[in-house]
Amino acid sequence: MIESRIQSFLPIKTQWFHIMLSLAGEEQHGYGIMQEVLERTTGKVRLWPATLYGSIKRLIEAGLIEESSSRPAPEFDDARRRYYRLTPLGRGVLNAECERLQELVQAIQTKQTMVTERG
Amino acid sequence: MLFRSISSGFKSLFRPGKRNAEIEADIRSFFESAVEQKIQRGMNVDDAERAARAEIGSMEMVRHKVSAAGWESYVESLCRDAKYGFRQILRSPILSLVAILSLALGIGANTAIFTVIDDLLLKQLPVHDPNMLVSFGEAVGSGAVAPSSPGAYDIFPYDFYRRIAGNRDELEGICAFASFPTMVSVRIGSGAGGPATQAIGHLVSGSFFSVLGEQPLMGRVFNPDDTATEGRNAVAVISHRYWQENLSADPGVIGRSIAINGTSFIVIGVMPAAFYGVDLNEQSPDLWLPITMQPQVMMGPSLLKPDGLFWIHIMARRKPAVSLARAQSWATLEFQRFLTQREGTQISSLRRQQIAGSFIPLLPGGSGLSHLRSAYLAPLTVLMIMVGVVLLIACANLANLLLAKAASREREFCARLALGSSRGRIARQILTEALVLALIGGGMGLGLAFGATRFIIHFIDGGAAHTALSATPDLRVLLFTFAICILTAVLFGIAPAMRGSRTDVSGALNASARTAGGTAARSNRLLPKALIVTQVTLSLVLLSVAGLLLRTLQNLRAQDTGMNRANVLLINTNPKFAGYQPERLNALYDRILSRVDALPGIRSAGLSGAPPLHRGIWGSPIDIDGRPASPNNEDSTLLNRVSSGYFETLGIPLLRGRTIQPIDNADAVKSAVVNKTFADRYFPNGDAIGHSFTIADPAAPGVWHIVGIVRDSKHSSPAETPQTFAYLAVTQLTGDDQYAYWLQIRTAGDPAKITADVRAALAEIDPNLPVLKVQTIGEQFDDLIDGQRFVSKLAGFFALLALTLAGIGLYGVMTYNVVRRTSELGVRMALGASKAVLIWLVLRESLTLLAIGVLFGIPVSLAASRAIKAGLFGVDPADPLTLTTAVLIVSVCLLAGSYIPARRATKIDPMVALRCE
């Protein structure tokens, strides 16, 4: 049941993947997510606020992420910030998407090896 | 996921403030985090804030994009568009009123005709799982007839039903019922001695209700035991309406005794209000009676005996596991065996061949049986197409009106496009406006349709007091209307929407008012013209079709029916209700005829079993001079029973011999008068008088001697070819067939004026003798051609409606053109153009459109006329007079529609026109 639900999301949109990946380790607020994606992709992917918050709204509706009720230590926190985290379903979807991408990368690598050997 | 999306959507819809506050909080926190980080990287506060603002962009845009991520944003924008649409409608009230009224008429006409189609052609019987019911044959014909030629059978003798009734292998259950309703007199009250009323009884088998799967509201329904023995079980199941109206909804009605045609019956059940049996006809039954009580109910000889006449219809419920083909071949095989056994041992090879060619088709029975359905199928189909065309014309009108509006809103659309709106968004906005108009029009149309449907049903059922036809729209009708609204909106909204969304931004904003209209490309002006041409074409088609139908009606009315239809009054009575037994009837007839004959203003009077010009006439096979007919060429005739004075009253000329006279009494030799076709067919040597014939129907036993020959007259249709007809002396019949129900009176003046005198005379003879119906022979004739009257009158109405709509459309477009060309016309005037030249300038355009429309319209009209050829009488589908008249009417109406704007063009003040920027 869960497996089929997970499969129904695949493949997921690029910006969803980036947002979910940045929430894989810890809870994040909107700006934090944007920063994390920017750094991880060495500036290649920049989630502008409209895209970022639009995607967050859809991810919440899809049940892949949720608003977190636990907050960081008060000295690092701003009461107005909203933190997001992956739901168990979201984590499952993220893992499945990562596996799918890994298989894809492997397939590409195999092809490349074959092309190089022939060449 | 879906649930969460829906619930969050609803939250946003109903609490938009909260949603906006949340988005704003997110953005603010984003902004603060960005500023904080930029300061940490060494920027000063001002630079950090500026950079963060640049990063975020327009707050409004972010809010819009985030909220657009949910489905609710579509609803929100739809609501905004609808609100805006309403404002646009209110801004030009006259234009909108015309649009809404056109739509209301178009949609109303469609809904009304569809309601009747739904009622008559699509509705299923209100019984359990109607889809599993099958009818043995088409079962629309009714009566009591002898077996005849090979082919498909739909009417059967009672013993065939008895033979197959017990089968459970091929069908789940089989039931039988009389192929005709029986008018009965009912007395209710203590000892069943109260006043008599007329009711419609239907003879049904014991399995009738169980096969239909119907449960009673009160009491019980019949079971097979109720029809096990002939004449033994006088029980009745009554309709809900009859219970309410005639038995005062008596809760203790079960067990009450009512006298039906003199026999006491016990009420055992009341059916639910929705149940009307298996016949969807003008009137539905009041009482269901056991088929085995037929001799008592019909007060006639038994039709239940072996080797009896064919008079019942059969219906059955299918078994899910048995295919229709298997059940059908079983039924056919059983029927062929039955017919073979019926013939006895002496069976000719020809008869054997005929039997092998007889079969029973099992047809879907879920929608019940209806002779109205076959009678009105063609008229309703023609009318449905016509109202569809009327709606198309209305759509073309609205498309033109909205196109004109879209052209005047070009600048608004340009401004919106320049401010970042998408073209799709503008098209959606115009379509939403169209939808708002269509829905308002549809709502009004539904109201109009409700009234119109009542009128149409009143026409179809002849104003019957109670009918299974319903004017109330059901869910299917509502869905149909809604679908029509959407379709209409798309049809008339698509052209303006495309036009609006194609607006050229730079052009229109730069242009001056004078040139704004001018920048509209040639193609933009072509569309309204194409729509007008389409309207002219369609109006012409409708007018010529309606013209042909009206000519048909006129021809039918003018048709010679073989009798003199001036000044004849027909009165329906029933001596049964006054308690007359057959032996007292002849004396009653004498009294009625002599009393009525003596009234001032009356030329003659006569009695008959059936009225003249009446569809349901009696017929039977006959043997001429006692010699049996050959099996492949059966002799038969239509029959009526008449008194002295009948032919004189109706003005049916006597050709030879004599008519029925008072001397033809019960003791005299049985006398019959035949028509010319009868005499010519069976006595080609011209010696019919003096010969005799016997009638297969046991209701008219004995040998009938031909005493006279009368001219052929029409019976079931003014267009029919003459059929053999024999008139028997009513006084020489017996039992139920001795009853005469119709009194014909020829008057010197207006027949309506003597109605009261005749009523008084009948009351004087016997106050219990009821007058059930009074009508002139003209009205009776109209009943005969009501199918044609129905279609031609409504077709005429719809054609006029189409013409009016097209006229309004042309007027609108021409007025718009004159307004658009105000400055041009002004310049022409200033340069000295005369009024006539200006009028011609405007009219020329209309004339061109009219000519093209007529050019297209003529071949389409001819094709449409050929399609309805079967419904025409005495007029050629390509009748030049009708087509020319239609062209003339269309031309005059449309030219009138464009003359007014042309006149307006001449009233333009050149100074004002030139200043009109």
Side-chain angles (χ1 to χ4, degrees):
Chain A
M1 179 69 188
I2 280 276
E3 188 52 35
S4 69
R5 273 194 74 190
I6 288 173
Q7 289 302 324
S8 71
F9 283 100
L10 301 186
I12 52 177
K13 289 179 195 161
T14 317
Q15 64 267 38
W16 283 28
F17 179 70
H18 281 301
I19 294 170
M20 288 167 76
L21 200 59
S22 61
L23 295 177
E26 55 177 351
E27 296 170 3
Q28 285 275 24
H29 54 81
Y31 187 77
I33 295 172
M34 189 208 77
Q35 272 315 104
E36 209 266 355
V37 172
L38 200 63
E39 279 162 22
R40 176 154 42 79
T41 59
T42 56
K44 288 193 193 91
V45 178
R46 186 182 191 103
L47 295 172
W48 295 102
T51 315
L52 175 69
Y53 286 108
S55 299
I56 287 176
K57 180 172 162 34
R58 289 206 166 173
L59 281 165
I60 292 175
E61 280 174 7
L64 298 180
I65 66 170
E66 61 193 353
E67 209 177 314
S68 163
S69 49
S70 58
R71 320 279 312 185
E75 61 270 28
F76 300 113
D77 187 28
D78 179 335
R80 281 169 305 190
R81 277 181 191 163
R82 294 201 288 166
Y83 283 77
Y84 304 98
R85 68 175 172 213
L86 285 173
T87 62
L89 174 68
R91 198 164 289 281
V93 170
L94 182 62
N95 288 338
E97 179 68 0
C98 290
E99 272 171 36
R100 192 184 69 83
L101 291 175
Q102 271 164 359
E103 280 166 19
L104 200 63
V105 170
Q106 268 172 11
I108 293 166
Q109 281 169 347
T110 317
K111 278 278 174 196
Q112 276 175 336
T113 320
M114 280 163 70
V115 171
T116 326
E117 279 171 4
R118 274 195 193 177
Chain B
M1 171 183 168
L2 187 67
F3 173 74
R4 203 169 318 166
S5 164
I6 291 173
S7 84
S8 102
F10 272 114
K11 271 184 208 154
S12 307
L13 268 183
F14 292 112
R15 295 167 70 188
K18 183 165 183 275
R19 180 195 60 192
N20 288 343
E22 277 174 11
I23 295 173
E24 256 164 53
D26 274 340
I27 304 290
R28 180 130 316 269
S29 115
F30 187 97
F31 175 76
E32 280 165 9
S33 304
V35 172
E36 205 174 292
Q37 199 207 36
K38 287 177 202 321
I39 291 172
Q40 275 173 11
R41 287 191 183 160
M43 279 191 185
N44 65 37
V45 176
D46 285 348
D47 288 347
E49 281 186 358
R50 202 173 301 124
R53 264 190 215 103
E55 215 166 53
I56 292 170
S58 150
M59 183 75 167
E60 200 47 45
M61 214 261 289
V62 175
R63 190 190 299 154
H64 175 74
K65 279 215 164 176
V66 174
S67 57
W71 62 267
E72 70 278 6
S73 67
Y74 290 100
V75 178
E76 270 181 338
S77 72
L78 198 69
C79 289
R80 264 200 307 273
D81 283 353
K83 230 185 261 175
Y84 189 71
F86 264 117
R87 281 214 303 274
Q88 285 292 331
I89 288 171
L90 293 177
R91 195 178 286 175
S92 40
I94 303 282
L95 190 75
S96 307
L97 195 69
V98 171
I100 289 170
L101 277 181
S102 309
L103 271 179
L105 287 169
I107 294 176
N110 274 273
T111 306
I113 297 294
F114 183 76
T115 310
V116 180
I117 286 186
D118 175 48
D119 238 5
L120 210 54
L121 309 178
L122 307 177
K123 197 161 77 173
Q124 295 281 68
L125 291 175
V127 299
H128 168 68
D129 198 3
N131 290 323
M132 292 303 279
L133 292 175
V134 284
S135 154
F136 280 40
E138 228 174 314
V140 284
S142 62
V145 293
S148 56
S149 49
Y153 270 73
D154 67 351
I155 190 161
F156 307 92
Y158 182 64
D159 48 341
F160 173 61
Y161 165 68
R162 288 286 297 264
R163 179 190 174 102
I164 59 166
N167 177 284
R168 290 290 175 277
D169 296 333
E170 320 297 330
L171 293 162
E172 205 166 275
I174 304 173
C175 69
F177 42 90
S179 58
F180 45 83
T182 309
M183 281 291 186
V184 293
S185 100
V186 182
R187 283 172 194 278
I188 301 162
S190 55
T197 52
Q198 185 168 255
I200 301 168
H202 196 197
L203 292 160
V204 301
S205 69
S207 53
F208 181 75
F209 294 100
S210 62
V211 167
L212 295 182
E214 270 302 285
Q215 295 300 318
L217 183 71
M218 280 165 68
R220 69 171 179 92
V221 288
F222 300 145
N223 59 51
D225 289 342
D226 288 311
T227 51
T229 324
E230 189 181 326
R232 287 287 293 280
N233 218 347
V235 288
V237 172
I238 61 175
S239 76
H240 187 266
R241 192 200 57 80
Y242 194 76
W243 175 57
Q244 297 252 309
E245 289 177 13
N246 294 61
L247 292 156
S248 319
D250 174 13
V253 70
I254 305 300
R256 257 181 87 171
S257 170
I258 56 173
I260 297 174
N261 280 354
T263 305
S264 183
F265 280 72
I266 304 291
V267 176
I268 58 165
V270 178
M271 293 310 290
F275 182 78
Y276 54 83
V278 285
D279 288 293
L280 182 64
N281 282 330
E282 293 94 332
Q283 291 194 313
S284 40
D286 300 310
L287 317 154
W288 288 273
L289 305 164
I291 198 162
T292 40
M293 295 301 291
Q294 174 266 328
Q296 290 77 16
V297 172
M298 289 173 62
M299 294 173 81
S302 172
L303 293 170
L304 305 165
K305 301 268 181 279
D307 294 342
L309 291 173
F310 286 49
W311 67 289
I312 57 164
H313 287 156
I314 298 178
M315 263 179 124
R317 183 169 287 278
R318 280 178 60 195
K319 272 189 144 171
V322 178
S323 74
L324 192 63
R326 190 177 127 190
Q328 184 163 299
S329 53
W330 166 80
T332 297
L333 190 66
E334 280 296 322
F335 187 56
Q336 290 174 348
R337 280 187 190 148
F338 167 80
L339 288 177
T340 311
Q341 282 171 17
R342 194 179 151 103
E343 291 295 319
T345 48
Q346 300 286 317
I347 177 165
S348 67
S349 63
L350 180 73
R351 184 71 191 128
R352 208 179 281 279
Q353 247 178 351
Q354 283 186 338
I355 290 174
S358 307
F359 65 97
I360 302 177
L362 292 195
L363 304 172
S367 48
L369 313 174
S370 173
H371 71 83
L372 286 179
R373 196 177 292 148
S374 43
Y376 282 92
L377 177 66
L380 283 173
T381 312
V382 170
L383 290 175
M384 194 70 226
I385 295 173
M386 288 191 86
V387 290
V389 173
V390 170
L391 190 64
L392 276 183
I393 291 177
C395 283
N397 253 2
L398 290 161
N400 263 342
L401 294 176
L402 284 191
L403 269 177
K405 253 177 111 176
S408 65
R409 278 165 72 186
E410 221 161 48
R411 292 178 146 232
E412 174 202 330
F413 295 145
C414 283
R416 289 172 66 168
L417 282 171
L419 288 174
S421 169
S422 71
R423 290 180 190 272
R425 189 73 187 70
I426 288 180
R428 201 170 80 197
Q429 153 86 66
I430 298 176
L431 273 176
T432 311
E433 271 180 59
L435 189 65
V436 170
L437 276 176
L439 287 175
I440 299 175
M444 280 173 70
L446 204 60
L448 280 178
F450 186 67
T453 312
R454 288 174 88 89
F455 170 78
I456 294 173
I457 288 180
H458 184 81
F459 191 100
I460 292 179
D461 69 15
H466 51 97
T467 175
L469 300 174
S470 154
T472 318
D474 60 6
L475 187 66
R476 189 161 31 206
V477 172
L478 292 178
L479 283 177
F480 171 84
T481 311
F482 187 65
I484 282 266
C485 288
I486 305 280
L487 186 75
T488 314
V490 171
L491 273 180
F492 75 76
I494 198 90
M498 280 169 65
R499 155 106 201 237
S501 66
R502 276 211 307 263
T503 309
D504 176 14
V505 183
S506 56
L509 275 183
N510 291 337
S512 70
R514 188 190 301 175
T515 51
T519 55
R522 217 178 135 70
S523 66
N524 282 346
R525 289 210 302 271
L526 207 61
L527 191 58
K529 290 180 181 171
L531 288 172
I532 290 288
V533 168
T534 314
Q535 286 184 318
V536 172
T537 305
L538 294 177
S539 308
L540 184 63
V541 174
L542 289 195
L543 264 187
S544 53
V545 165
L548 288 174
L549 291 170
L550 286 167
R551 288 283 302 277
T552 295
L553 184 65
Q554 205 180 19
N555 290 341
L556 287 173
R557 285 221 165 107
Q559 190 68 5
D560 181 8
T561 48
M563 58 186 79
N564 179 357
R565 282 189 274 136
N567 296 344
V568 177
L569 193 68
L570 306 175
I571 291 167
N572 182 204
T573 176
N574 193 339
K576 279 179 194 168
F577 291 5
Y580 284 88
Q581 293 303 310
E583 53 276 11
R584 287 174 58 210
L585 286 175
N586 286 356
L588 174 71
Y589 298 158
D590 278 346
R591 283 168 62 202
I592 292 177
L593 290 179
S594 54
R595 180 75 190 86
V596 172
D597 264 338
L599 287 174
I602 284 180
R603 292 223 166 117
S604 65
L607 289 154
S608 66
L613 303 169
H614 173 69
R615 272 198 210 99
I617 206 93
W618 179 26
S620 170
I622 52 170
D623 291 336
I624 302 291
D625 287 330
R627 55 166 200 269
S630 58
N632 55 342
N633 187 21
E634 205 169 55
D635 295 336
S636 67
T637 184
L638 296 176
L639 295 160
N640 196 2
R641 44 184 191 271
V642 305
S643 75
S644 61
Y646 177 82
F647 299 100
E648 294 78 0
T649 306
L650 291 181
I652 301 175
L654 177 72
L655 301 178
R656 285 180 63 195
R658 65 170 177 87
T659 55
I660 302 293
Q661 295 297 326
I663 51 163
D664 298 312
N665 56 35
D667 307 322
V669 174
K670 292 188 170 178
S671 302
V673 169
V674 297
N675 70 350
K676 187 167 179 301
T677 303
F678 185 107
D680 290 348
R681 181 170 307 165
Y682 300 129
F683 304 97
N685 302 328
D687 56 350
I689 292 178
H691 283 275
S692 64
F693 61 94
T694 49
I695 298 167
D697 186 347
V703 179
W704 294 87
H705 296 267
I706 300 171
V707 297
I709 301 170
V710 292
R711 202 186 148 193
D712 288 335
S713 51
K714 302 286 170 69
H715 302 284
S716 51
S717 156
E720 74 186 4
T721 49
Q723 298 178 66
T724 54
F725 207 104
Y727 304 86
L728 312 177
V730 66
T731 43
Q732 296 179 325
L733 284 156
T734 51
D736 196 47
D737 286 279
Q738 204 182 333
Y739 285 93
Y741 302 115
W742 290 85
L743 174 63
Q744 284 80 193
I745 298 170
R746 175 167 293 280
T747 59
D750 180 6
K753 285 188 180 150
I754 55 132
T755 312
D757 292 346
V758 177
R759 276 180 190 274
L762 288 179
E764 210 176 281
I765 293 164
D766 187 334
N768 290 326
L769 205 58
V771 173
L772 301 169
K773 196 175 184 183
V774 177
Q775 62 183 20
T776 63
I777 199 165
E779 288 162 343
Q780 176 82 4
F781 180 77
D782 277 351
D783 285 350
L784 211 56
I785 50 169
D786 51 10
Q788 283 90 352
R789 284 200 303 140
F790 175 73
V791 70
S792 50
K793 288 195 170 169
L794 283 181
F797 173 74
F798 292 138
L800 286 181
L801 186 62
L803 194 63
T804 315
L805 290 177
I808 293 174
L810 187 68
Y811 169 77
V813 169
M814 285 303 148
T815 308
Y816 173 67
N817 279 354
V818 168
V819 172
R820 192 174 51 80
R821 291 167 73 182
T822 303
S823 22
E824 177 208 329
L825 295 169
V827 171
R828 281 175 189 269
M829 275 182 107
L831 292 177
S834 71
K835 285 188 174 186
V837 168
L838 288 182
I839 290 187
W840 172 242
L841 203 64
V842 178
L843 277 188
R844 194 177 58 190
E845 201 176 343
S846 310
L847 275 174
T848 315
L849 297 181
L850 184 67
I852 300 172
V854 168
L855 219 61
F856 282 121
I858 289 176
V860 183
S861 298
L862 288 175
S865 309
R866 264 197 300 279
I868 57 154
K869 196 178 169 187
L872 301 180
F873 176 72
V875 57
D876 187 53
D879 181 43
L881 181 68
T882 312
L883 198 57
T884 316
T885 316
V887 170
L888 272 178
I889 296 178
V890 169
S891 308
V892 168
C893 284
L894 295 194
L895 284 181
S898 58
Y899 182 71
I900 305 167
R903 288 260 307 164
R904 188 189 276 186
T906 63
K907 302 263 164 67
I908 293 172
D909 178 351
M911 290 313 289
V912 176
L914 290 173
R915 261 190 265 119
C916 161
E917 283 289 303

